[in-house]
Amino acid sequence: MEIPALAIQAAIILAIFGITLLIATYCTWAERRIAGYLQDRPGPNRVGPWGLGQPLADAVKLFFKEEFIPATANKWLFIAGPSLAMLTALMSSAVVPFGNTILSDTFGTTRIQGIEVNIGMLYVFGVVSLGVYGIMIGGWASNNKFSLLGAIRAASQNISYEIAMGLSIIAMLMMTGTLSLREIALQQSEPLFGISGFNWNIFYQPLGFIIFLTCSFAETNRTPFDLPESEAELVGGYHTEYGSMKLGLYLFAEYVNIIVASAVMSTLYFGGFNFPFQDQVGALISSDPVVAHNAVTIIGTVVLFLKIFGFIFFFMWVRWTLPRFRYDQLLNLGWKGLIPLSIINIVLTGAGILLYEYFKG
């Protein structure tokens, strides 16, 4: 690969990194505004216009708070916990295609994606499963029974729901024949009912999507699955002993995980960077195929982010609407509900593929 291409790819990775952090920063503001609306109160509205300066004020507060480590805690692991949680959250967005390709005479074809690997979904699963170690290490290193209980809850919850999530992806793999998120997105650009860019997998895998969505709530520790940090039972859960920026990293990692989960669901089930009538839109913009392709790519990136924002809103809406599960209810749903449903979904998908091939042949 030539140096200019490497430089462009590095710039894209840095841009994705920066945009992810910016969105995560303002997710705190959006969540409080949405919570205020649902609870018939204003929400943050004092710092800057419409309270838009509140996330910056919170960041300054966390940076300048006293750095405190409990006397009986394991110092290095206490620091490593939130660092690992944040690292794995940021790594998982590397394989998500945020757009198609940009064509130019100078740099050739440039993908709007950090890295492209043919096992993209396996990479996401691997990195996300490492994220629980950040919670486990932080909870254990705190030397606090409430923190440890929260960490154990997080570990058992993630293990339980990763199984159902993985099984739901198997059905998707049977349909698409690939684990590459880019390939899955490109397959959805085919026309459906004469509408280009509308052959979304949600029409073929509705049950798989519901399972994946439910598991995403559990994997991100969001209400009604926020048992690892349930303040009514565990004071503050796994981050009870944390303050200042280390607490900020845990809270920030949760929002980054929500963004990544939203991006993955948008790519797997809702066409990713594809949008209805994209071929017609490109033809209207320009008769030059290169210009039309680049314009559709830019519009597709904007559309993907709109889909991501829609899922983020849904995460927040559910948090301020549904009550928290009991822990036995959470595990029953995972092991006795979602895993059997995932297996049924695999069987139905296999039967559907066989019937399609039979009638097609």
Side-chain angles (χ1 to χ4, degrees), residues 4-239:
L6 279 172
I8 287 179
Q9 205 62 38
I12 289 172
I13 291 171
L14 288 174
I16 292 171
F17 177 78
I19 291 170
T20 302
L21 289 179
L22 180 65
I23 295 173
T25 301
Y26 275 90
C27 275
T28 60
W29 172 85
E31 176 134 51
R32 293 163 72 180
R33 293 289 290 191
I34 290 168
Y37 176 77
L38 293 174
Q39 296 172 351
D40 197 22
R41 57 184 177 81
N45 61 353
R46 300 291 182 184
V47 186
W50 304 290
L52 287 171
Q54 190 65 50
L56 301 178
D58 292 339
V60 170
K61 177 190 73 174
L62 289 172
F63 268 116
F64 288 98
K65 284 186 75 173
E66 180 185 2
E67 187 72 16
F68 175 77
I69 297 177
T72 56
N74 186 312
K75 180 179 178 181
W76 298 111
L77 291 181
F78 190 79
I79 296 170
S83 303
L84 181 60
M86 190 66 186
L87 176 66
T88 54
L90 290 171
M91 284 174 60
S92 51
S93 63
V95 296
V96 176
F98 288 94
N100 197 351
T101 54
I102 295 291
L103 307 177
S104 68
D105 296 332
T106 308
F107 302 112
T109 302
T110 304
R111 292 189 297 262
I112 306 180
Q113 184 178 11
I115 55 172
E116 164 58 15
V117 289
N118 59 0
I119 53 166
M121 269 314 299
L122 280 183
Y123 172 88
V124 172
F125 267 91
V127 172
V128 167
S129 63
L130 288 175
V132 73
Y133 285 101
I135 296 174
M136 276 296 295
I137 289 170
W140 182 84
S142 298
N143 198 19
N144 176 302
K145 62 182 179 181
F146 294 115
S147 300
L148 182 60
L149 281 171
I152 293 171
R153 282 184 171 190
S156 60
Q157 176 174 314
N158 283 29
I159 291 168
S160 303
Y161 283 83
E162 276 174 6
I163 297 172
M165 183 180 276
L167 290 172
S168 70
I169 292 299
I170 289 176
M172 178 69 69
L173 174 62
M174 292 166 63
M175 280 187 50
T176 59
T178 180
L179 285 169
S180 166
L181 287 171
R182 172 167 288 278
E183 285 297 321
I184 292 172
L186 289 173
Q187 288 178 15
Q188 297 174 81
S189 64
E190 298 297 323
L192 179 68
F193 306 124
I195 303 173
S196 61
F198 197 51
N199 192 32
W200 296 355
N201 288 327
I202 183 65
F203 302 124
Y204 309 104
Q205 284 289 316
L207 180 57
F209 166 69
I210 292 170
I211 294 168
F212 194 95
L213 176 65
T214 307
C215 293
S216 296
F217 274 92
E219 290 292 308
T220 53
N221 296 327
R222 296 285 295 184
T223 306
F225 300 98
D226 63 336
L227 275 298
E229 51 186 275
S230 55
E231 64 280 351
E233 304 164 18
L234 302 179
V235 184
Y238 61 89
H239 53 64

